[in-house]
mmCIF file with all atom_site columns, all heavy atoms in Angstrom:
data_model
loop_
_atom_site.group_PDB
_atom_site.id
_atom_site.type_symbol
_atom_site.label_atom_id
_atom_site.label_alt_id
_atom_site.label_comp_id
_atom_site.label_asym_id
_atom_site.label_entity_id
_atom_site.label_seq_id
_atom_site.pdbx_PDB_ins_code
_atom_site.Cartn_x
_atom_site.Cartn_y
_atom_site.Cartn_z
_atom_site.occupancy
_atom_site.B_iso_or_equiv
_atom_site.pdbx_formal_charge
_atom_site.auth_seq_id
_atom_site.auth_comp_id
_atom_site.auth_asym_id
_atom_site.auth_atom_id
_atom_site.pdbx_PDB_model_num
ATOM 1  N N   . LEU A 1 3  ? 125.932 168.072 74.830 1.00 97.00 ? 170 LEU A N   1
ATOM 2  C CA  . LEU A 1 3  ? 125.735 169.508 75.005 1.00 97.00 ? 170 LEU A CA  1
ATOM 3  C C   . LEU A 1 3  ? 124.330 169.875 74.547 1.00 97.00 ? 170 LEU A C   1
ATOM 4  O O   . LEU A 1 3  ? 123.906 169.477 73.456 1.00 97.00 ? 170 LEU A O   1
ATOM 5  C CB  . LEU A 1 3  ? 126.763 170.301 74.202 1.00 97.00 ? 170 LEU A CB  1
ATOM 6  C CG  . LEU A 1 3  ? 128.235 170.024 74.520 1.00 97.00 ? 170 LEU A CG  1
ATOM 7  C CD1 . LEU A 1 3  ? 129.133 170.753 73.532 1.00 97.00 ? 170 LEU A CD1 1
ATOM 8  C CD2 . LEU A 1 3  ? 128.561 170.434 75.945 1.00 97.00 ? 170 LEU A CD2 1
ATOM 9  N N   . GLN A 1 4  ? 123.643 170.642 75.376 1.00 96.00 ? 171 GLN A N   1
ATOM 10 C CA  . GLN A 1 4  ? 122.288 171.086 75.062 1.00 96.00 ? 171 GLN A CA  1
ATOM 11 C C   . GLN A 1 4  ? 122.235 172.601 75.155 1.00 96.00 ? 171 GLN A C   1
ATOM 12 O O   . GLN A 1 4  ? 122.387 173.160 76.234 1.00 96.00 ? 171 GLN A O   1
ATOM 13 C CB  . GLN A 1 4  ? 121.280 170.462 76.026 1.00 96.00 ? 171 GLN A CB  1
ATOM 14 C CG  . GLN A 1 4  ? 119.841 170.865 75.779 1.00 96.00 ? 171 GLN A CG  1
ATOM 15 C CD  . GLN A 1 4  ? 119.279 170.255 74.528 1.00 96.00 ? 171 GLN A CD  1
ATOM 16 O OE1 . GLN A 1 4  ? 119.526 169.090 74.210 1.00 96.00 ? 171 GLN A OE1 1
ATOM 17 N NE2 . GLN A 1 4  ? 118.514 171.032 73.780 1.00 96.00 ? 171 GLN A NE2 1
ATOM 18 N N   . ALA A 1 5  ? 122.004 173.246 74.021 1.00 95.00 ? 172 ALA A N   1
ATOM 19 C CA  . ALA A 1 5  ? 122.000 174.706 73.970 1.00 95.00 ? 172 ALA A CA  1
ATOM 20 C C   . ALA A 1 5  ? 120.574 175.243 73.994 1.00 95.00 ? 172 ALA A C   1
ATOM 21 O O   . ALA A 1 5  ? 119.631 174.571 73.555 1.00 95.00 ? 172 ALA A O   1
ATOM 22 C CB  . ALA A 1 5  ? 122.711 175.186 72.716 1.00 95.00 ? 172 ALA A CB  1
ATOM 23 N N   . SER A 1 6  ? 120.457 176.460 74.479 1.00 94.00 ? 173 SER A N   1
ATOM 24 C CA  . SER A 1 6  ? 119.165 177.142 74.495 1.00 94.00 ? 173 SER A CA  1
ATOM 25 C C   . SER A 1 6  ? 119.389 178.637 74.487 1.00 94.00 ? 173 SER A C   1
ATOM 26 O O   . SER A 1 6  ? 120.503 179.113 74.743 1.00 94.00 ? 173 SER A O   1
ATOM 27 C CB  . SER A 1 6  ? 118.364 176.743 75.738 1.00 94.00 ? 173 SER A CB  1
ATOM 28 O OG  . SER A 1 6  ? 119.036 177.132 76.920 1.00 94.00 ? 173 SER A OG  1
ATOM 29 N N   . GLY A 1 7  ? 118.314 179.393 74.193 1.00 94.00 ? 174 GLY A N   1
ATOM 30 C CA  . GLY A 1 7  ? 118.369 180.832 74.347 1.00 94.00 ? 174 GLY A CA  1
ATOM 31 C C   . GLY A 1 7  ? 118.404 181.647 73.078 1.00 94.00 ? 174 GLY A C   1
ATOM 32 O O   . GLY A 1 7  ? 118.469 182.869 73.151 1.00 94.00 ? 174 GLY A O   1
ATOM 33 N N   . GLY A 1 8  ? 118.379 181.027 71.926 1.00 92.00 ? 175 GLY A N   1
ATOM 34 C CA  . GLY A 1 8  ? 118.365 181.812 70.699 1.00 92.00 ? 175 GLY A CA  1
ATOM 35 C C   . GLY A 1 8  ? 117.050 182.538 70.519 1.00 92.00 ? 175 GLY A C   1
ATOM 36 O O   . GLY A 1 8  ? 116.121 182.389 71.308 1.00 92.00 ? 175 GLY A O   1
ATOM 37 N N   . GLY A 1 9  ? 116.973 183.344 69.487 1.00 96.00 ? 176 GLY A N   1
ATOM 38 C CA  . GLY A 1 9  ? 115.744 184.065 69.216 1.00 96.00 ? 176 GLY A CA  1
ATOM 39 C C   . GLY A 1 9  ? 115.991 185.249 68.308 1.00 96.00 ? 176 GLY A C   1
ATOM 40 O O   . GLY A 1 9  ? 117.047 185.365 67.679 1.00 96.00 ? 176 GLY A O   1
ATOM 41 N N   . SER A 1 10 ? 115.003 186.121 68.254 1.00 97.00 ? 177 SER A N   1
ATOM 42 C CA  . SER A 1 10 ? 115.075 187.304 67.407 1.00 97.00 ? 177 SER A CA  1
ATOM 43 C C   . SER A 1 10 ? 115.167 188.552 68.257 1.00 97.00 ? 177 SER A C   1
ATOM 44 O O   . SER A 1 10 ? 114.517 188.656 69.303 1.00 97.00 ? 177 SER A O   1
ATOM 45 C CB  . SER A 1 10 ? 113.841 187.382 66.505 1.00 97.00 ? 177 SER A CB  1
ATOM 46 O OG  . SER A 1 10 ? 113.787 186.282 65.635 1.00 97.00 ? 177 SER A OG  1
ATOM 47 N N   . VAL A 1 11 ? 115.965 189.495 67.801 1.00 97.00 ? 178 VAL A N   1
ATOM 48 C CA  . VAL A 1 11 ? 116.151 190.744 68.539 1.00 97.00 ? 178 VAL A CA  1
ATOM 49 C C   . VAL A 1 11 ? 116.465 191.843 67.542 1.00 97.00 ? 178 VAL A C   1
ATOM 50 O O   . VAL A 1 11 ? 116.996 191.581 66.454 1.00 97.00 ? 178 VAL A O   1
ATOM 51 C CB  . VAL A 1 11 ? 117.273 190.577 69.580 1.00 97.00 ? 178 VAL A CB  1
ATOM 52 C CG1 . VAL A 1 11 ? 118.610 190.342 68.902 1.00 97.00 ? 178 VAL A CG1 1
ATOM 53 C CG2 . VAL A 1 11 ? 117.340 191.753 70.529 1.00 97.00 ? 178 VAL A CG2 1
ATOM 54 N N   . GLN A 1 12 ? 116.147 193.066 67.932 1.00 97.00 ? 179 GLN A N   1
ATOM 55 C CA  . GLN A 1 12 ? 116.471 194.205 67.080 1.00 97.00 ? 179 GLN A CA  1
ATOM 56 C C   . GLN A 1 12 ? 117.924 194.600 67.244 1.00 97.00 ? 179 GLN A C   1
ATOM 57 O O   . GLN A 1 12 ? 118.538 194.315 68.288 1.00 97.00 ? 179 GLN A O   1
ATOM 58 C CB  . GLN A 1 12 ? 115.566 195.380 67.424 1.00 97.00 ? 179 GLN A CB  1
ATOM 59 C CG  . GLN A 1 12 ? 114.103 195.149 67.081 1.00 97.00 ? 179 GLN A CG  1
ATOM 60 C CD  . GLN A 1 12 ? 113.264 196.386 67.325 1.00 97.00 ? 179 GLN A CD  1
ATOM 61 O OE1 . GLN A 1 12 ? 113.667 197.295 68.060 1.00 97.00 ? 179 GLN A OE1 1
ATOM 62 N NE2 . GLN A 1 12 ? 112.106 196.435 66.702 1.00 97.00 ? 179 GLN A NE2 1
ATOM 63 N N   . PRO A 1 13 ? 118.499 195.261 66.265 1.00 98.00 ? 180 PRO A N   1
ATOM 64 C CA  . PRO A 1 13 ? 119.878 195.749 66.408 1.00 98.00 ? 180 PRO A CA  1
ATOM 65 C C   . PRO A 1 13 ? 120.023 196.590 67.664 1.00 98.00 ? 180 PRO A C   1
ATOM 66 O O   . PRO A 1 13 ? 119.145 197.405 67.999 1.00 98.00 ? 180 PRO A O   1
ATOM 67 C CB  . PRO A 1 13 ? 120.078 196.595 65.149 1.00 98.00 ? 180 PRO A CB  1
ATOM 68 C CG  . PRO A 1 13 ? 119.167 195.970 64.139 1.00 98.00 ? 180 PRO A CG  1
ATOM 69 C CD  . PRO A 1 13 ? 117.954 195.550 64.921 1.00 98.00 ? 180 PRO A CD  1
ATOM 70 N N   . GLY A 1 14 ? 121.128 196.363 68.363 1.00 98.00 ? 181 GLY A N   1
ATOM 71 C CA  . GLY A 1 14 ? 121.359 197.052 69.630 1.00 98.00 ? 181 GLY A CA  1
ATOM 72 C C   . GLY A 1 14 ? 120.841 196.295 70.833 1.00 98.00 ? 181 GLY A C   1
ATOM 73 O O   . GLY A 1 14 ? 121.135 196.660 71.975 1.00 98.00 ? 181 GLY A O   1
#
Side-chain angles (χ1 to χ4, degrees):
L170 302 173
Q171 180 71 40
S173 62
S177 297
V178 65
Q179 293 185 341

